[in-house]
Amino acid sequence: MPETPSSLHVSPHPLVAHKLALLRDKHTEPKQFRELVRELTWLLGYEAMADLSLQPSRIETPLEPMDAQRLEPRVGLIPILRAGLGMVDAMLELLPTAEVWHIGLYRDERTLKPVEYYNKLPDAATVQVCLILDPMLATGGSSAATVDILKHWGAARVKQLSLIAAPEGVRTLSSTHPDVDIHVAALDSHLNERGYIVPGLGDAGDRQFGTFAGPASEPGHGPDPHTAEVVRNLQRDLRNE
Ligand code: PRP
Ligand code: URA
């Protein structure tokens, strides 16, 4: 059994476990699903920000002046389209001055490789800390590609905030970017032959936005031999670690 990397933080909070159970349930409808994504993001985001640095700040209370503290780094929220969108509002409640920079990636269903389709980052980084928002860390391809983009941009520090991770995805991200902290509500068992997290929650984007196009889009339907081979390779790398 491979060791869990020190960069992985699985929330121990009972409220997180409770809300995650509701989120996973196949009977949970998109409205409640979106509410739960928001609530879980708030709880995980609070934990993920626990090590942000502070700087002294002189203020005056109604009674007297005092030396208080304020957050030092500028923080950027990086939702990965589409499913990461549902995590933005909760993070903006915690960090109202955060900048939001969207990255558009979708996962090619057959190769499971990320395909970039939207990126409007300016030339130079405008924030020091970047928090990638994406509910699912499956193969880790989307996340690792986003970290590459953000480091190339000049971000000094990157964290990943996801609701559920697969061991295969944690391995990909922690081996390519060991400096990236990964905050999740749960570490699940494995990926199935189509690259879906098991037991997982299905397709996080479809469940948030109610886009169920029929059996062909549902996890577990019609495995492609090439996709199954990609997953087997990831699982072999994980075992050989
Ligand atoms: C999902 C999810 C991640 C990605 C995770 O997005 O939101 O971005 O898959 O998979 P990976 O770790 O194997 O890269 P999807 O490609 O389904 O796009 P969507 O959010 O537009 O539905
Ligand atoms: N994307 C999802 O939405 N769910 C998974 O299980 C894997 C990738």
Side-chain angles (χ1 to χ4, degrees):
M1 183 75 183
E3 268 183 38
T4 307
S6 57
S7 55
L8 177 68
H9 308 273
V10 182
S11 174
H13 204 294
L15 270 180
V16 169
H18 175 80
K19 288 177 189 295
L20 187 61
L22 298 173
L23 187 79
R24 290 181 190 273
D25 192 321
K26 68 177 184 183
H27 300 296
T28 299
E29 298 290 341
K31 177 176 186 294
Q32 192 192 2
F33 192 93
R34 288 192 295 272
E35 289 164 0
L36 288 162
V37 168
R38 181 191 177 103
E39 291 163 11
L40 279 161
T41 302
W42 206 100
L43 294 168
L44 291 175
Y46 178 78
E47 289 178 359
M49 297 292 116
D51 62 353
L52 287 190
S53 55
L54 294 167
Q55 61 186 359
S57 170
R58 188 77 180 161
I59 61 161
E60 282 185 38
T61 78
L63 281 77
E64 64 173 13
M66 70 168 283
D67 291 321
Q69 303 189 90
R70 290 180 193 266
L71 282 183
E72 189 173 37
R74 286 202 62 76
V75 178
L77 306 176
I78 320 293
I80 303 186
L81 306 176
R82 285 174 302 166
L85 284 177
M87 302 173 76
V88 175
D89 283 356
M91 285 309 305
L92 281 176
E93 282 168 17
L94 289 175
L95 291 166
T97 57
E99 300 177 12
V100 184
W101 295 102
H102 301 82
I103 298 285
L105 290 179
Y106 72 86
R107 195 170 72 143
D108 181 287
E109 282 191 7
R110 185 158 179 271
T111 63
L112 300 181
K113 296 278 174 267
V115 181
E116 186 179 331
Y117 62 89
Y118 185 86
N119 177 349
K120 295 274 185 197
L121 291 172
D123 288 344
T126 54
V127 295
Q128 287 93 44
V129 177
C130 285
L131 189 61
I132 299 173
L133 306 177
D134 192 334
M136 308 305 272
L137 181 64
T139 65
S142 304
S143 170
T146 306
V147 178
D148 285 340
I149 292 169
L150 296 175
K151 286 187 173 174
H152 184 70
W153 188 43
R157 183 134 185 244
V158 183
K159 290 167 175 266
Q160 167 90 18
L161 193 65
S162 293
L163 301 184
I164 302 181
E168 295 87 338
V170 171
R171 186 213 171 258
T172 303
L173 183 54
S174 62
S175 60
T176 50
H177 297 289
D179 56 321
V180 171
D181 282 321
I182 308 168
H183 291 266
V184 297
L187 176 64
D188 273 10
S189 164
H190 63 280
L191 297 177
N192 72 8
E193 71 286 354
R194 290 193 63 211
Y196 277 83
I197 301 176
V198 181
L201 50 71
D203 189 301
D206 288 346
R207 292 198 64 187
Q208 282 183 77
F209 301 117
T211 48
F212 305 106
S217 74
E218 284 164 15
H221 179 85
D224 176 296
H226 178 74
T227 315
E229 176 67 13
V230 171
V231 173
R232 274 197 300 277
N233 287 340
L234 284 168
Q235 291 170 340
R236 196 197 50 229
D237 291 346
L238 186 63
R239 277 196 305 276
N240 292 340
E241 205 161 52

